[in-house]
Amino acid sequence: MRATTIHAPFDMRVEDVPDPVIQDPTDVVLRVLRACICGSDLWAYRGESARQPGQRIGHEFLGIVEAAGSAVTGFTAGDLVVAPFVWSDGTCDYCAEGLQTSCPRGGFWGSVGSDGGQGEAVRVPFADGTLVKLPVEAASDDRLLTALLALSDVMGTGHHAALGAGVKPGSTVAVVGDGAVGLCGVLAAKRLGAERIIALGRHTVRTDIARLFGATDVVAERGEAAEAAVRELTGGQGAHGVIEAVGTEQSMRTAVAIARDGGSIGYVGVPHGSGTGLDLSVMFDRNIALRGGVAPVRAYIPELLPDVLDGTIDPSPVFDLTVGLDGVPGGYKAMDERTALKVLVKP
């Protein structure tokens, strides 16, 4: 089979790799129908997170079960399924608590020795604890299939951020970051009943999607100018909830500055750069809560799935470029150069 591999910074290749096979009775082999490139994949692409030459990559995908191990009870060949970006056994204390990202037997797609999602097929460990079944008829609905793909990461991560930010009906929410996760944070905040949603972003194509998803205001400034603009929009108080979806020191400083006293910050931007941008004394004095981290999207898929299926939420507009498997290296380049927001891959 063919799959995307990374060999060095900016060196992505689509190569022949061994076909996945059942190794453990809890495995399934899944044929990938849709995958995508994540903003966090760009850290490996740019050389800012280490990878071994030839390592697989990609952690967002859905597809059809081709074969199931003897201990798999929830899936059979022909089932359409979505995979969250971490596999988990579904039986440990953390899984029972909805924190599958801390499962001791779990792992990330594309880690050393595991398959990545940007390929033709994937071996899925602990299938019963990891995968979520989708209506098989969705396989013939291109738009719906694309929307369902967002449940593998960005929609669930945006939802995690909104929960961390304490979004509730009638609240005012600010979203720092106009990438796919930040935009899904807007959609999640709207779904949870936020009355006012302020999107911070400078790219009109992206902020237009933010408005489509429910943003009531857009702030294009950065730094202190952005802080002043949000304060002006909120009568000097700031937002009840802030979604931080970037992960830089500057973005976290902005999030703290635009939060209302007694408010909450939901942070899901993968931290990178120098420092954290946090001043605990400021947060202490102003009673600002900080919640978030890597999103346990497996816990959220059952809640979000019905709303995607019935059209209540549609995250598909975050995918603005579609490529075949051979086009994946170009997809990385497009996202790195910010000429694409999020690249959909059709193997």
Side-chain angles (χ1 to χ4, degrees):
M1 59 163 273
R2 299 167 70 247
T4 307
T5 57
I6 182 168
H7 291 261
F10 308 104
D11 184 2
M12 311 299 296
R13 306 178 194 176
V14 178
E15 301 181 306
D16 289 332
V17 301
D19 291 338
V21 296
I22 302 294
Q23 296 180 15
D24 298 306
T26 54
D27 292 348
V28 304
V29 171
L30 181 152
R31 175 169 53 88
V32 177
L33 292 183
R34 296 288 185 278
C36 55
I37 301 173
C38 183
S40 64
D41 291 331
L42 295 180
W43 302 120
Y45 179 70
R46 295 166 180 159
E48 297 182 38
S49 59
R51 293 293 189 275
Q52 294 182 1
Q55 190 171 334
R56 296 278 298 276
I57 195 166
H59 56 261
E60 300 165 280
F61 59 95
L62 56 73
I64 300 290
V65 173
E66 295 271 275
S70 60
V72 175
T73 61
F75 305 98
T76 60
D79 285 341
L80 178 67
V81 295
V82 61
F85 66 82
V86 171
W87 73 78
S88 53
D89 64 18
T91 61
C92 72
D93 289 345
Y94 288 113
C95 288
E97 295 164 8
L99 194 63
Q100 288 89 344
T101 48
S102 291
C103 177
R105 297 199 289 175
F108 290 81
W109 309 111
S111 55
V112 175
S114 73
D115 293 342
Q118 292 164 17
E120 293 181 322
V122 175
R123 180 182 74 89
V124 178
F126 302 112
D128 284 328
T130 300
L131 299 174
V132 177
K133 190 179 297 187
L134 304 173
V136 71
E137 56 269 21
S140 60
D141 185 330
D142 191 66
R143 184 212 57 80
L144 178 57
L145 205 60
T146 301
L148 291 168
L149 175 63
L151 294 176
S152 66
D153 186 347
V154 286
M155 189 62 231
T157 297
H159 179 68
H160 187 58
L163 293 178
V167 177
K168 58 185 178 182
S171 61
T172 294
V173 180
V175 181
V176 182
D178 60 2
V181 169
L183 294 175
C184 285
V186 171
L187 190 57
K190 178 68 174 178
R191 177 181 175 273
L192 292 172
E195 181 175 328
R196 192 171 195 182
I197 303 172
I198 305 167
L200 280 68
R202 296 179 296 161
H203 304 86
T204 304
V205 171
R206 300 180 179 204
T207 54
D208 284 349
I209 296 174
R211 290 189 184 279
L212 175 68
F213 283 179
T216 55
D217 304 272
V218 170
V219 169
E221 293 83 2
R222 298 185 70 182
E224 292 182 358
E227 297 166 13
V230 174
R231 290 280 170 185
E232 182 176 355
L233 287 170
T234 57
Q237 292 188 342
H240 299 103
V242 179
I243 290 173
E244 193 286 313
V246 182
T248 64
E249 182 171 353
Q250 179 61 61
S251 63
M252 189 61 82
R253 288 190 186 281
T254 298
V256 173
I258 64 177
R260 186 180 188 272
D261 286 16
S264 300
I265 298 170
Y267 73 107
V268 293
V270 179
H272 55 277
S274 58
T276 63
L278 291 175
D279 185 334
L280 291 181
S281 63
V282 170
M283 297 180 70
F284 181 86
D285 290 344
R286 297 177 52 215
N287 280 283
I288 295 174
L290 180 68
R291 293 174 296 195
V294 59
V297 299
R298 176 60 181 82
Y300 302 140
I301 293 174
E303 176 183 349
L304 297 172
L305 177 57
D307 283 0
V308 174
L309 290 174
D310 68 14
T312 299
I313 57 174
D314 178 12
S316 65
V318 302
F319 299 97
D320 61 345
L321 176 63
T322 300
V323 299
L325 203 51
D326 287 334
V328 170
Y332 273 86
K333 187 173 187 292
M335 284 181 62
D336 183 50
E337 295 175 348
R338 298 183 74 86
T339 58
L341 169 60
K342 190 168 181 65
V343 175
L344 176 69
V345 181
K346 293 183 177 181

